[in-house]
Amino acid sequence: MSTETQDADDLEERVANFLRRNFPQIQMHGGSAAIQEIDRETGEVTIALGGACSGCGISPMTIQAIKSRMVKEIPEITQVHAHTGMEGGMGGGGTSPSFPGETVDDDGEDEGPQAPF
């Protein structure tokens, strides 16, 4: 394996570890974060948040936190592009989030979470 390939793999691994280490709540809440692209020449990385992140009201805050913290913690990263697929023009349709305890009636309408009593 060439040094350049090792460096590329190392950068991707550091980005993945950053997401796992700093944003465990993404997975804990049924979401996912995937690296779509890393441009090593420009230092730009594109992250896609999926699962429950699509349509989540706090996903814009999560995206902002990822953007600001990643460039501080990983020197090679100069800019982060992140999206949930719900934004127009990002190439994804996105889906509404679902949570444990939610039900969907026969016509496909989400009834929301069930009361615990």
Side-chain angles (χ1 to χ4, degrees), residues 17-114:
N17 285 337
F18 167 86
L19 291 169
R20 277 192 298 270
R21 186 178 66 249
N22 290 293
F23 298 95
Q25 67 272 27
I26 291 173
Q27 258 190 330
M28 291 181 343
H29 293 144
S32 63
I35 301 167
Q36 286 194 313
E37 182 180 359
I38 297 177
D39 185 329
R40 286 153 186 86
E41 290 183 23
T42 64
E44 295 181 49
V45 63
T46 303
I47 307 291
L49 300 180
C53 292
S54 295
C56 176
I58 65 167
S59 62
M61 289 182 284
T62 302
I63 288 171
Q64 190 56 44
I66 290 170
K67 287 180 175 184
S68 65
R69 290 170 58 184
M70 189 180 293
V71 296
K72 291 177 184 173
E73 289 191 32
I74 304 174
E76 296 91 336
I77 302 297
T78 60
Q79 188 172 13
V80 178
H81 306 282
H83 60 89
T84 62
M86 293 296 287
E87 300 88 9
M90 293 303 284
T95 60
S96 297
S98 61
F99 301 96
E102 285 186 333
T103 59
V104 177
D105 63 19
D106 292 337
D107 67 356
E109 290 296 315
D110 186 351
E111 294 177 354
Q114 297 297 306

